[in-house]
Amino acid sequence: MLIPTTFTLAAALVTAPSSSAEPSTDSQPSPETPTEAETPPRRRDRIGGFVAVDWRVLGMAGHLSHGPGFQAGATFFDHLAIGLAGFARPGPINPRTFRLDLPDGQTYRGQGSIDLRSDGSVIGLLIAPYHDFRRVPLSLELPVTLGYGGFGFYLSGEDREVPDDRRVSEWEDELLDGRDADATNLVVDAGVRLAWTPRRAPYLRPYFGAHYTWVIGYDTAITNNYDGFSGVVGIKFGKFTRRR
């Protein structure tokens, strides 16, 4: 009985796992387990914010002018921006004037006609779907602004020195028969823009594009149409949710 027992002990020693053996790989993650880099972003990580400033060259009302614009809001799930947007056509930096011929027998400061300047602005809700291209750092944007705006005409220069003690606005109302401005119009501004996101400065997005603006129901003594095209160039600052 001693010999079988000896062989049994020897076999157990041979088959026992060695303490110096390589560790088992059973604890390694399976190929099907997603790594941290492959884990999709959390929902809150796909919401960003931005603010933008730009400059427009305006072709509205059949003439060229220019003025500043802005946008501010949030981006959602890599495809949509919502916020506020607007732009302005300041009269002081646009020297273009519009001739108003007064009715027969009516004069202003001894003149039968006067030259007026124009200004106005738009502000409204911005809804802007966009698409980030995967292979190049570019984005295609389709911004639409729905809001209100007003554009009008006013006396300028020496003509603002009215011949009596009434306010200038009262003279403008009288000379233009109460139709010197229209400031309660529904405005639709739609555009297409191309934005670039530098790889070394992902918080910046320079952009350029083209827009068309409808000033619905516009009517003044000078014109009843203030619609038109415009070109825009600007830059955005903020947190963007561009997918990698």
Side-chain angles (χ1 to χ4, degrees):
M1 297 299 292
L2 178 60
I3 293 175
T5 303
T6 302
F7 278 111
T8 302
L9 291 175
L13 290 174
V14 171
T15 59
S18 173
S19 60
S20 61
E22 294 184 0
S24 172
T25 59
D26 293 342
S27 62
Q28 298 297 319
S30 65
E32 290 78 11
T33 303
T35 65
E36 182 178 351
E38 296 171 345
T39 302
R42 291 171 294 179
R43 182 175 295 268
R44 66 173 179 270
D45 292 335
R46 297 179 67 184
I47 299 177
F50 70 93
V51 61
V53 291
D54 54 49
W55 204 265
R56 289 198 182 199
V57 176
L58 303 164
M60 301 172 68
H63 68 280
L64 285 177
S65 58
H66 60 100
F70 81 94
Q71 297 179 57
T75 58
F76 299 90
F77 310 115
D78 311 315
H79 290 299
L80 180 65
I82 298 177
L84 290 176
F87 67 90
R89 183 209 185 277
I93 65 174
N94 288 286
R96 169 68 182 269
T97 58
F98 303 83
R99 176 63 57 89
L100 173 66
D101 294 321
L102 300 175
D104 292 342
Q106 184 179 1
T107 62
Y108 176 73
R109 291 169 51 94
Q111 307 170 88
S113 62
I114 52 177
D115 292 324
L116 304 169
R117 284 196 176 188
S118 178
D119 65 5
S121 62
V122 171
I123 188 170
L125 172 66
L126 170 70
I127 302 173
Y130 66 92
H131 175 72
D132 291 335
F133 297 102
R134 291 184 178 275
R135 296 188 178 182
V136 291
L138 298 176
S139 301
L140 180 66
E141 306 176 350
L142 300 174
V144 177
T145 299
L146 306 173
Y148 279 89
F151 295 89
F153 301 88
Y154 64 94
L155 295 168
S156 63
E158 295 181 354
D159 286 338
R160 296 193 69 81
E161 299 178 6
V162 296
D164 55 27
D165 59 357
R166 289 190 293 168
R167 292 180 299 177
V168 177
S169 60
E170 294 181 74
W171 271 101
E172 290 168 346
D173 286 341
E174 179 178 323
L175 293 170
L176 282 82
D177 194 26
R179 299 168 61 218
D180 56 315
D182 199 343
T184 58
N185 301 99
L186 177 64
V187 174
V188 179
D189 179 78
V192 56
R193 295 178 173 182
L194 190 64
W196 171 52
T197 307
R199 297 190 185 280
R200 294 187 178 182
Y203 48 85
L204 298 179
R205 278 194 176 182
Y207 60 86
F208 70 93
H211 289 246
Y212 192 86
T213 306
W214 292 269
V215 186
I216 300 171
Y218 187 79
D219 183 34
T220 64
I222 301 297
T223 181
N224 61 0
N225 185 350
Y226 221 100
D227 302 345
F229 284 99
S230 61
V232 63
V233 59
I235 187 168
K236 290 182 181 180
F237 307 86
K239 177 185 176 183
F240 305 110
T241 57
R242 182 183 182 85
R243 291 174 294 177
R244 297 178 180 178

